[in-house]
Amino acid sequence: MIKIYGSFVSRATRNLWMLEELGLEYEHVSLDWAKQENRSAAYLKINPAGKVPTLEDGDATLSESLGINLYLVQKYGQGGLWPDDDAGRALCVQWSFWAAAELEPLAYGRIREFLFKKEPDRDQALIANMAERTGPLLDLMTLALDEHAYLSGETFTVADLNAACVMEYLDRSDFDLSGWPKVAAWYTNTYGRPANQKIQDQRAPIAADMMKRLQG
Amino acid sequence: MITLYGNDRSRATRNVWMLEELGVEYERDMVDHTKGEAKTESFLAINPGGKVPALRDGDVVMFESLAINLYLAMTYGKGGLWPDDAVGQAACVQWTVFSATEVEPHTVGALIELIFKPEAARDEAAAQACLARLPPVLNVLETTLSDLAFLGGDTFTAADLNVACVVNSLNMIGFDFTPYPKMTAWVKTCVARQG
């Protein structure tokens, strides 16, 4: 049985979404970060850095949320979320790394200000600078979405899932996407998929509790 | 025919390494980003983001250097740099993402401030802040390589190439590798393959 470690308020939700898309059976082990459950001896054995998420699938144990999704899709999503053709696969890998290396530093840098600081303490110059650098990335997505309905072609693939679960940080920090209508429509359509809705519904009460703790 | 865009002053070098490992034929288009050649209309048709490297392989056109290497390994390195088994493939994907997200932001950050920027614009404190983030990350490699010869097991794979090319860039700034003996030996072994 596949096991995924990490709570609903961690990057594990990215993998839970993928597991739901693929219709796989899995066991979700939610580790409470506040209780340091990710630092237990048992967990450090499977992830020495104590980070979440981690996936166990038979003999394979791996970390890095977007890497886990690429692994899962190649093993279980052939011809579906993992396209059959080389060009489609190349774009799936490309957009996953683009999300990890280009978008996430900006999107996560932004949401950190919103999550971990109260409004008067937020670094508005940093937020503005990150928003400015995010624009060209959204322009690039728009060009791809001018060519086809989804990032890697005419169907939803791991490219979309991995990009959307990073773009979530922009959405949760009220980033104004109105200047990029194609991206906004793609995000709504992608993020709102039933597989993700199922995960987000479970996340909502836990996230609300966390926000109460963080924002008071 | 495969075309790789970008010169040796770009991350294209890591793709050259992969192409040479795989022994596939390719040609290079030495787009010089330092002269604005990555922003020309003809190159923007290849990568609208205006960054090198980029790759064309038949109807495949893509960017992101580490993604290019994974694509090349998956397509041309089956059973070799892209292992046949799920465990080996998992290692390749995990370590490549680790390289891109955990290691490279700090190595590049330090390199920019110490050597890429004109001397007057360099920020030593910013460079040190980047370098200070590296020990826990490099310790993950040191721990892994205490048990294994290579990141995915007994043989050299895309995982090793994609991490080693990033870690090795620290040699450009005289980084002190002595706290990481296993990792240091592994980087040397990997890099020596480039000949």
Side-chain angles (χ1 to χ4, degrees), chain B residues 5-194:
Chain B
Y5 300 85
N7 68 14
D8 287 346
R9 296 181 65 190
S10 75
R11 291 181 175 90
T13 51
R14 53 183 65 162
N15 303 129
V16 170
W17 182 2
M18 177 59 84
L19 287 160
E20 292 290 336
E21 289 280 355
L22 297 170
V24 293
E25 268 193 72
Y26 63 97
E27 58 182 22
R28 293 190 64 182
D29 185 330
M30 298 289 191
V31 174
D32 188 345
H33 60 289
T34 66
K35 292 185 182 145
E37 291 173 11
K39 309 287 183 193
T40 61
E41 207 173 309
S42 62
F43 184 71
L44 290 175
I46 303 291
N47 179 4
K51 288 187 180 177
V52 284
L55 183 92
R56 177 191 280 285
D57 178 15
D59 62 348
V60 174
V61 182
M62 70 183 299
F63 51 86
E64 289 293 334
S65 59
L66 296 176
I68 289 172
N69 275 355
L70 272 190
Y71 160 78
L72 288 169
M74 283 173 188
T75 310
Y76 300 106
K78 290 189 182 85
L81 265 64
W82 183 250
D84 280 327
D85 61 306
V87 175
Q89 294 179 4
C92 287
V93 177
Q94 170 195 288
W95 288 111
T96 304
V97 177
F98 173 87
S99 183
T101 61
E102 315 262 345
V103 192
E104 187 156 31
H106 313 309
T107 57
V108 168
L111 261 59
I112 286 173
E113 295 300 341
L114 294 175
I115 53 175
F116 294 153
K117 276 189 182 173
E119 225 169 314
R122 292 175 192 171
D123 181 344
E124 174 72 25
Q128 292 308 323
C130 288
L131 293 173
R133 305 285 296 275
L134 280 171
V137 176
L138 300 182
N139 277 329
V140 172
L141 293 171
E142 184 70 10
T143 305
T144 303
L145 293 163
S146 300
D147 297 330
L148 300 171
F150 292 98
L151 292 174
D154 296 333
T155 60
F156 178 85
T157 67
D160 301 289
L161 197 161
N162 279 345
V163 179
C165 65
V166 173
V167 173
N168 189 49
S169 69
L170 289 168
N171 276 313
M172 293 162 72
I173 52 170
F175 183 80
D176 177 15
F177 279 93
T178 51
Y180 317 101
K182 299 276 184 192
M183 186 194 79
T184 308
W186 162 84
V187 171
K188 278 190 186 149
T189 303
C190 292
V191 171
R193 298 173 63 96
Q194 288 183 93

